[in-house]
Amino acid sequence: MIDRLDRKILQILQEDATIPVAEIGRRVGLSTTPCWRRIQKLEEDGVILRRVAVLDPRKVNAKVTVFVSITTSQHNEEWLKRFAEVIRDVPEVVEFYRMSGQVDYLLRVVVPDIEAYDAFYKRLITRIDIADVSSAFAMEQIKYATALPLNYVPLEKDKGVA
């Protein structure tokens, strides 16, 4: 369970994971060692999955975002396993979801330009049987966040300083 101090630590780390532990501790009212123990526990418990750098897509030539809707006539575990393997091998796919409704799968693909997307599309359809593919190119990114909302986390009673 997470308490209010853990939640504050998580908020800080979501904003900038490079902030020194001593500074995080200062911001939440803990000394360095107890703060570090809490961060380690959050990692051990799988709350913190990894710490990464968020890159500017324009500066790494991945400025075009495409939302790819996929429907299939194959609704079996073997096909899904194969499809997931194919997608895991494709670096342009940065998000991959199984959906409810008319679309079976939704991909978020980032590429430099339409030609690169076309090459991605051709590689995809040669590797897996798909009934229908629909692509929507994002015209403008209005909001992008990597931080998850933490106000829904059920809090245990404060553990106290440890």
Side-chain angles (χ1 to χ4, degrees):
M1 291 290 293
I2 293 173
D3 68 11
R4 65 180 179 76
L5 289 176
D6 292 334
R7 187 161 70 179
K8 286 179 183 178
I9 290 167
L10 291 171
Q11 188 63 48
I12 292 166
L13 289 173
Q14 285 193 111
E15 292 169 11
D16 183 356
T18 66
I19 294 174
V21 176
E23 174 60 19
I24 296 169
R26 187 192 66 72
R27 290 186 192 182
V28 301
L30 291 174
S31 62
T32 302
T33 301
C35 184
W36 178 241
R37 280 193 211 123
R38 283 176 175 264
I39 293 169
Q40 286 180 316
K41 178 87 168 90
L42 290 164
E43 289 174 336
E44 290 167 10
D45 291 347
V47 176
I48 298 173
L49 297 177
R50 62 187 181 272
R51 300 183 206 190
V52 299
V54 178
L55 308 180
D56 182 333
R58 294 169 304 218
K59 301 223 173 141
V60 296
N61 201 25
K63 60 187 177 259
V64 175
T65 297
V66 188
F67 294 94
V68 182
S69 301
I70 294 175
T71 55
T72 181
S73 57
Q74 312 251 350
H75 296 280
N76 60 70
E77 190 173 338
E78 183 180 315
W79 186 90
L80 174 55
K81 183 179 176 184
R82 170 85 176 109
F83 186 44
E85 287 172 5
V86 166
I87 296 302
R88 273 190 213 100
D89 289 341
V90 181
E92 294 92 343
V93 177
V94 294
E95 294 182 65
F96 173 31
Y97 300 95
R98 188 168 58 89
M99 306 294 290
S100 65
Q102 292 182 335
V103 171
D104 295 315
Y105 301 93
L106 181 66
L107 310 177
R108 184 168 73 92
V109 176
V110 294
V111 290
D113 50 38
I114 292 174
E115 292 80 15
Y117 174 73
D118 189 44
F120 156 81
Y121 171 82
K122 289 174 182 173
R123 284 192 323 270
L124 179 65
I125 63 172
T126 61
R127 295 187 65 195
I128 192 89
D129 183 34
I130 297 171
D132 186 52
V133 178
S134 175
S135 305
F137 288 81
M139 301 300 291
E140 177 183 13
Q141 184 180 72
I142 297 170
K143 179 181 179 181
Y144 174 77
T146 59
L148 297 175
L150 298 176
N151 52 320
Y152 297 106
V153 176
L155 298 179
E156 78 173 31
K157 291 188 178 190
D158 291 342
K159 300 175 198 171
V161 177

